[in-house]
Amino acid sequence: MVDFIDDTYKRVAKIIEVNKMNIRSFEEKIDVSNNSIGTAIRRKASFKSNVLNKILIAFPEVDPTWLLTGRGKMFLEGTSQGLVQEPPSAYEVSMLNNKIKQSLLELLLKDEEVGRLLNSQIDTIIKSKTS
């Protein structure tokens, strides 16, 4: 299996810094428990997909690819950082969720072992649905 170093915690810390927030206000904005983000950053730990999803919903200007991989720019083209924005519509949230899922799958499928495991699970699901 390919060694993968997850530096997502650094990019989350950068989002907090750029938005001139403290960790507590960031946790409140993304609706996670107290100290969960701060603890993960201190421990240099990975974030679960539901936390990453909450971050991207709360900060729609952040590029999901950048958050997940560090590639590209921090902000999506045509967005303004630091400006008060209207909450995203249900459609925008749905589209963002789909983009996050697609980015996660693309990242995971680059690892051959993970790709084989995902394909095996998909085959099992398909077989159970057609039985």
Side-chain angles (χ1 to χ4, degrees):
M1 186 172 192
V2 177
D3 289 331
F4 177 72
I5 299 171
D6 186 358
D7 287 337
T8 310
Y9 71 93
K10 291 179 184 177
R11 292 184 289 280
V12 171
K14 184 73 174 172
I15 293 169
I16 295 168
E17 176 189 333
V18 166
N19 284 282
K20 297 177 175 73
M21 301 177 86
N22 60 39
I23 291 175
R24 181 172 171 87
S25 62
F26 181 79
E27 290 168 337
E28 288 174 1
K29 180 166 178 140
I30 67 169
D31 193 29
V32 296
S33 61
N34 289 344
N35 298 320
S36 60
I37 300 296
T39 300
I41 290 172
R42 280 190 304 282
R43 292 183 180 172
K44 301 178 180 179
S46 299
F47 291 94
K48 292 183 178 181
S49 61
N50 65 321
V51 173
L52 296 172
N53 193 30
K54 287 181 175 192
I55 292 169
L56 292 169
I57 288 170
F59 298 90
E61 68 277 8
V62 172
D63 186 329
T65 302
W66 174 84
L67 180 61
L68 296 172
T69 67
R71 285 187 246 131
K73 295 182 179 181
M74 181 178 187
F75 297 104
L76 294 168
E77 292 291 322
T79 62
S80 300
Q81 73 176 74
L83 296 179
V84 176
Q85 297 181 355
E86 292 291 320
S89 68
Y91 173 77
E92 290 170 321
V93 170
S94 173
M95 294 303 292
L96 182 59
N97 283 337
N98 287 338
K99 185 170 182 179
I100 293 167
K101 289 174 187 174
Q102 183 177 354
S103 295
L104 280 171
L105 278 174
E106 288 171 3
L107 184 62
L108 289 171
L109 288 174
K110 288 183 181 180
D111 185 301
E112 289 180 27
E113 186 176 334
V114 172
R116 283 192 299 276
L117 180 62
L118 286 173
N119 283 330
S120 172
Q121 289 179 347
I122 290 169
D123 288 343
T124 302
I125 292 169
I126 292 171
K127 287 176 185 173
S128 71
K129 298 289 182 187
T130 58
S131 301

